[in-house]
Amino acid sequence: MVVTGRAVLLAGVATVAVALSGLLGAWAAVIAVGVVVVPLIVDVALAVSPKALRMSRSGDTSLRLGDSALVEVLVSNPTGRRLRGSVRDAWPPSAHAAPRTCPLRVDAGERRRVTTTLTPTRRGDARAAGVTVRSIGPLGLAGRQRTLSAPWAVRVLPPFHSRRHLPGKLSRLRELEGQHTAMVRGQGSEFDSLRDYVPGDDVRSIDWRASARSDGVVVRTWRPERDRRILIVLDTGRTSAGRVGDTPRLDHAMDAALLLAALAGKAGDRVDFLAYDRRVRAQVKASGKGSQVHRIVEAMAPLEAELLESDPAGLVSTVLGAQGRGRSLVVLLTDLNAAALEEGLMPRLSALTSRHLLLVAAVEDPAVAAMAAERGDSGALYRAAAAERTLSERRRVTAELRRSGVEVVDADPEHIAPALADAYINLKAQGRL
């Protein structure tokens, strides 16, 4: 049961009237009950029961973080009386549902549609908590309230801010495939076509058999490899929970992974995705040529950083099992944390690099570099010393990885995605995939 402001006003008027009349004792109680309580009971009895209503939903089921979605609730009134009141479609606070409540009037046998706008601030699945209906009686004094179940979920996808870099990187790929100066044979390069020799061509590219059958000298041209296997591995362990700026390191890594997946798909390569800490959190296997970005985005949406240490042995074993015998480019998005890498991944690098080309990408924190540049009081000097030691450890780990044959990309959140895409393009240009 609920009461409205009218009921409070009525109770106040009744109290003042009894006081002014001079009545005391039992008569005052009888008048109070007759004037206030009885109308409330009658109003509650005449109000439509929310339990009799029928709910159904429709609307958006997914959106990118930063956008808005519309979700509708269709309220059906199968009773013989008119429903007056309000309705609230309840969602988690992070969904930022608006409006909070809506007035509701549904005649007997009719339906009304209530629209709620969601503007989530967190990635993942937002689920409706229920629809609360408040039915007010004809006198407007009191009514009934009940929360009804109306399940619905909206998946909030990663925002993919780095999409703006994709046209420029695709342009670089087209230049790489189209310019003759780049069409030289490299390790693992694919044969493209034959053409006439022009001064400046590498004589090692001359095809003597084809030249013997033609009137002039013919050379072979080579193009960057296509249909190569790329595995993007996202470390969801404790180091990915650290915030760089206002965003977790995991989200920055996701953005870089999406740009790489989109670029590699456009280049004709097969892209697989794996999220791992101590077990597989998400996995997408390429189902053929073309972009896998949509499937990867869907797999990334519910991922959260796990506050536990990643298992490097399990990670290496899972990667080797997932990629089979063929050589692949394995892109590991993790943090260049000296303690975690030296005790975990470093001893197992040889098992991975002997079969695949490994590229480690990490998001550096610009605040650490700013802290290292601080000068002034003793506190600033201590902070600068600690930051400089952190940067020194990071440079040392990067050097050790490169000596082991690992490609390393280390950049701030603003540049990690384009830097990773550039590293992929350079590997393609060098014929190393």
Side-chain angles (χ1 to χ4, degrees):
M1 174 181 173
V2 294
V3 296
T4 67
R6 289 186 184 182
V8 177
L9 180 61
L10 178 62
V13 171
T15 302
V16 172
V18 170
L20 293 177
S21 66
L23 295 176
L24 299 174
W27 285 106
V30 170
I31 293 175
V33 170
V35 174
V36 179
V37 177
V38 172
L40 291 181
I41 295 175
V42 172
D43 220 19
V44 171
L46 294 178
V48 175
S49 173
K51 189 176 181 180
L53 302 178
R54 297 293 179 263
M55 301 287 175
S56 61
R57 283 190 182 270
S58 62
D60 298 328
T61 56
S62 66
L63 76 159
R64 291 196 179 277
L65 186 63
D67 295 339
S68 296
L70 297 179
V71 178
E72 298 176 337
V73 177
L74 189 63
V75 182
S76 302
N77 180 11
T79 68
R81 287 176 290 171
R82 183 183 186 187
L83 171 70
R84 294 173 56 251
S86 61
V87 61
R88 181 192 176 195
D89 190 4
W91 291 81
S94 62
H96 293 274
R100 181 178 175 84
T101 59
C102 292
L104 183 66
R105 283 176 173 79
V106 188
D107 291 334
E110 292 190 355
R111 299 180 297 178
R112 289 290 183 272
R113 195 179 303 274
V114 178
T115 302
T116 303
T117 302
L118 306 180
T119 310
T121 55
R122 292 185 60 183
R123 178 179 42 77
D125 291 333
R127 301 184 183 278
V131 179
T132 302
V133 178
R134 179 174 291 181
S135 175
I136 305 300
L139 300 178
L141 299 175
R144 309 181 190 188
Q145 179 173 303
R146 189 180 185 89
T147 298
L148 305 174
S149 176
W152 194 260
V154 175
R155 173 155 289 189
V156 186
L157 307 174
F160 196 7
H161 296 305
S162 61
R163 182 193 296 272
R164 66 184 186 275
H165 298 291
L166 186 58
K169 303 309 175 185
L170 289 175
S171 178
R172 280 197 60 193
L173 270 179
R174 286 192 291 269
E175 291 175 3
L176 179 65
E177 294 183 353
Q179 60 183 8
H180 291 300
T181 57
M183 287 188 176
V184 295
R185 185 166 188 175
Q187 179 183 357
S189 295
E190 293 182 355
F191 172 75
D192 182 61
S193 61
L194 297 172
R195 63 169 173 81
D196 292 336
Y197 174 85
V198 296
D201 284 337
D202 191 340
V203 296
R204 292 174 297 181
S205 298
I206 297 175
D207 189 318
W208 296 106
R209 291 186 178 181
S211 299
R213 295 193 298 268
S214 64
D215 296 333
V217 180
V218 177
V219 295
R220 297 178 181 178
T221 60
W222 308 86
R223 68 178 181 184
E225 303 90 329
R226 288 179 174 269
D227 199 20
R228 293 300 189 255
R229 296 295 299 271
I230 298 175
L231 174 62
I232 300 175
V233 182
L234 195 63
D235 181 4
T236 56
R238 66 170 183 84
T239 57
S240 65
R243 302 187 75 85
V244 181
D246 294 331
T247 306
R249 181 174 277 109
L250 178 64
D251 287 46
H252 292 303
M254 285 181 178
D255 197 48
L258 289 176
L259 179 62
L260 177 60
L263 183 63
K266 295 289 185 180
D269 293 330
R270 299 173 182 267
V271 182
D272 297 331
F273 172 76
L274 176 69
Y276 192 92
D277 42 69
R278 287 190 172 273
R279 63 181 179 86
V280 176
R281 300 289 176 177
Q283 188 171 15
V284 175
K285 292 189 176 181
S287 56
K289 295 182 181 179
S291 177
Q292 304 291 328
V293 173
H294 178 70
R295 296 175 60 205
I296 294 176
V297 166
E298 288 283 347
M300 283 181 175
L303 290 178
E304 296 292 344
E306 302 293 333
L307 299 182
L308 45 82
E309 198 72 42
S310 296
D311 177 18
L315 172 63
V316 172
S317 176
T318 302
V319 169
L320 294 178
Q323 294 307 99
R325 297 179 176 272
R327 182 175 176 82
S328 304
L329 170 63
V330 178
V331 180
L332 175 60
L333 291 123
T334 185
D335 183 33
L336 293 177
N337 183 284
L341 289 179
E342 289 177 342
E343 296 177 6
L345 184 63
M346 290 285 196
R348 297 168 177 84
L349 276 180
S350 58
L352 196 56
T353 56
S354 62
R355 292 174 55 180
H356 303 293
L357 175 61
L358 178 62
L359 190 157
V360 174
V363 181
E364 67 176 15
D365 191 349
V368 177
M371 191 183 299
E374 287 186 9
R375 297 295 183 270
D377 58 10
S378 58
L381 290 176
Y382 276 112
R383 289 194 298 272
E388 191 57 48
R389 177 169 182 174
T390 300
L391 294 175
S392 176
E393 290 288 327
R394 201 174 184 92
R395 289 191 291 267
R396 180 177 60 80
V397 169
T398 299
E400 290 182 10
L401 287 171
R402 285 174 174 158
R403 282 195 297 270
S404 302
V406 179
E407 297 291 325
V408 181
V409 174
D410 188 17
D412 57 63
E414 186 67 23
H415 299 97
I416 181 63
L420 181 58
D422 287 339
Y424 164 76
I425 293 173
N426 291 336
L427 290 174
K428 219 167 175 59
Q430 297 167 14
R432 296 180 58 189
L433 296 186

